[in-house]
Amino acid sequence: MEHIDKKSEHEANDIIDAYLNLVCLPGISERTIYDDFTANDGKHKLIDNVLLPEQEYRCCYCMMKMGNCREASIEHVIPQSIRNKGDFLQYFNTRAKNYLNYENVCLTSDFIKGRFVFPPYPHVMSYYNFSIACTDCNNHRGSQYIEPLFFYPDIKNEIQYNEKTGEMNWSADPVLNNGSSVDLPTIEKVELNTPLLKAIRCVWFYAKSHKIDLGKLKQVDERYEILYQVAGEAIVADCHFNDETLKAYLNLQTDKYWNKLLKYDYFGI
Ligand SMILES: [Zn+2]
């Protein structure tokens, strides 16, 4: 996982300002302000020209490579679904205050009540509240409260990947309250340790250490050979290895899943 350094404010806000100047008319609501951005060219420009290059074209959570706005989605770190001040302040004060400030983000309903003066930007339209995620990760995260781990400056060193099991861990990931299902650590909330993601990482780690060019393995039997080796090592190392994990390795032989695997070259670098 990589730290996202938000250094493109000027470029991003040119696009966001143009959109807000266009739509901030009486009648716009907190429910439609972001939805209308989806139909506006500005959103595509913002993703393709600013947000994707800023993240080297990788999902902020799983590191999958994405080509353009058709494959990528905007992830709101303070969730879009937050609509009241209490929830906004709770999220802000417990998770966001180290990377956001009241000069660049405010509650969207306050923005609308304040007659569209910006900055601060409504949280559903704030560059500082945006990152780019793949659709799977964005769906898994939903509107759960999470630690904005990619905004932690040293996150690359704090996240560990087990090279034999593919498992991802963040030692600082807190479990709040009593570990109930709604208070799982961030990595579990975003489902970053699915059998498929773990298998994909293991294959890349193996390829890196054995200097194998995965992009050249076009035939199923060539893929089978490496998958057999990697799965064999994972069975020994991973006490959670089960039928689902085995299925993930078997699926990876197919073009559909192999092509997905190739988008995770982050783990082979
Ligand atoms: Zn992802």
Side-chain angles (χ1 to χ4, degrees):
M1 179 166 285
E2 295 284 333
H3 166 61
I4 301 172
D5 196 2
K6 301 297 276 181
K7 280 190 172 167
S8 312
E9 179 180 6
H10 183 71
E11 210 181 341
N13 283 351
D14 277 354
I15 297 169
I16 294 169
D17 290 358
Y19 167 73
L20 289 178
N21 281 321
L22 190 73
V23 298
C24 284
L25 299 166
I28 193 86
S29 75
E30 59 182 294
R31 287 177 190 274
T32 58
I33 193 165
Y34 181 72
D35 290 347
D36 287 355
F37 190 45
T38 302
N40 182 278
D41 265 1
K43 183 177 179 183
H44 301 148
K45 257 193 252 171
L46 184 68
I47 294 176
D48 286 344
N49 300 346
V50 182
L51 300 175
L52 276 171
E54 183 171 80
Q55 290 177 212
E56 297 185 349
Y57 294 85
R58 296 186 194 284
C59 170
C60 61
Y61 295 113
C62 71
M63 299 285 114
M64 187 180 88
K65 202 148 210 169
M66 295 171 289
N68 57 41
C69 61
R70 285 194 298 278
E71 298 175 78
S73 63
I74 288 184
E75 161 73 337
H76 290 79
V77 183
I78 299 178
Q80 284 190 73
S81 59
I82 287 185
R83 295 223 162 89
N84 71 67
K85 194 84 175 186
D87 290 345
F88 180 81
L89 289 175
Q90 190 199 349
Y91 198 100
F92 193 95
N93 289 324
T94 56
R95 292 177 167 83
K97 64 183 174 188
N98 290 331
Y99 72 94
L100 282 173
N101 61 56
Y102 291 122
E103 285 165 20
N104 58 41
V105 66
C106 67
L107 181 66
T108 299
S109 61
D110 284 352
F111 173 78
I112 290 182
K113 281 183 214 142
R115 296 172 184 273
F116 320 121
V117 177
F118 54 95
Y121 290 81
H123 76 287
V124 299
M125 284 301 307
S126 165
Y127 159 69
Y128 284 100
N129 197 36
F130 287 166
S131 60
I132 288 293
C134 71
T135 323
D136 281 353
C137 287
N138 212 344
N139 286 341
H140 290 153
R141 187 270 165 105
S143 51
Q144 299 177 94
Y145 283 23
I146 56 155
E147 290 298 312
L149 56 188
F150 39 77
F151 288 141
Y152 285 65
D154 199 34
I155 196 67
K156 188 173 184 173
N157 296 321
E158 292 178 23
I159 291 277
Q160 285 101 38
Y161 296 99
N162 183 311
E163 301 224 342
K164 294 292 180 204
T165 67
E167 190 160 315
M168 173 182 185
N169 277 298
W170 182 34
S171 50
D173 209 343
V175 180
L176 302 174
N177 301 333
N178 301 315
S180 66
S181 59
V182 289
D183 285 316
L184 292 169
T186 299
I187 287 175
E188 286 176 48
K189 283 178 181 168
V190 189
E191 299 186 34
L192 296 171
N193 279 323
T194 62
L196 182 64
L197 286 179
K198 283 166 60 181
I200 285 173
R201 291 183 204 124
C202 281
V203 174
W204 274 107
F205 293 139
Y206 183 92
K208 183 169 64 172
S209 66
H210 291 76
K211 297 188 170 33
I212 297 167
D213 183 349
L214 296 178
K216 286 188 176 162
L217 306 183
K218 306 282 185 209
Q219 307 299 324
V220 169
D221 55 342
E222 293 173 311
R223 296 170 190 166
Y224 180 83
E225 205 172 307
I226 182 170
L227 291 168
Y228 181 84
Q229 290 294 334
V230 179
E233 290 187 12
I235 285 170
V236 177
D238 186 356
C239 58
H240 301 296
F241 197 103
N242 56 23
D243 288 351
E244 283 288 294
T245 323
L246 185 61
K247 197 173 150 198
Y249 279 98
L250 292 172
N251 282 339
L252 281 173
Q253 296 173 90
T254 63
D255 286 347
K256 177 184 165 190
Y257 285 95
W258 190 260
N259 289 335
K260 185 177 173 76
L261 175 145
L262 293 178
K263 293 181 180 175
Y264 286 89
D265 61 337
Y266 175 81
F267 298 101
I269 295 165

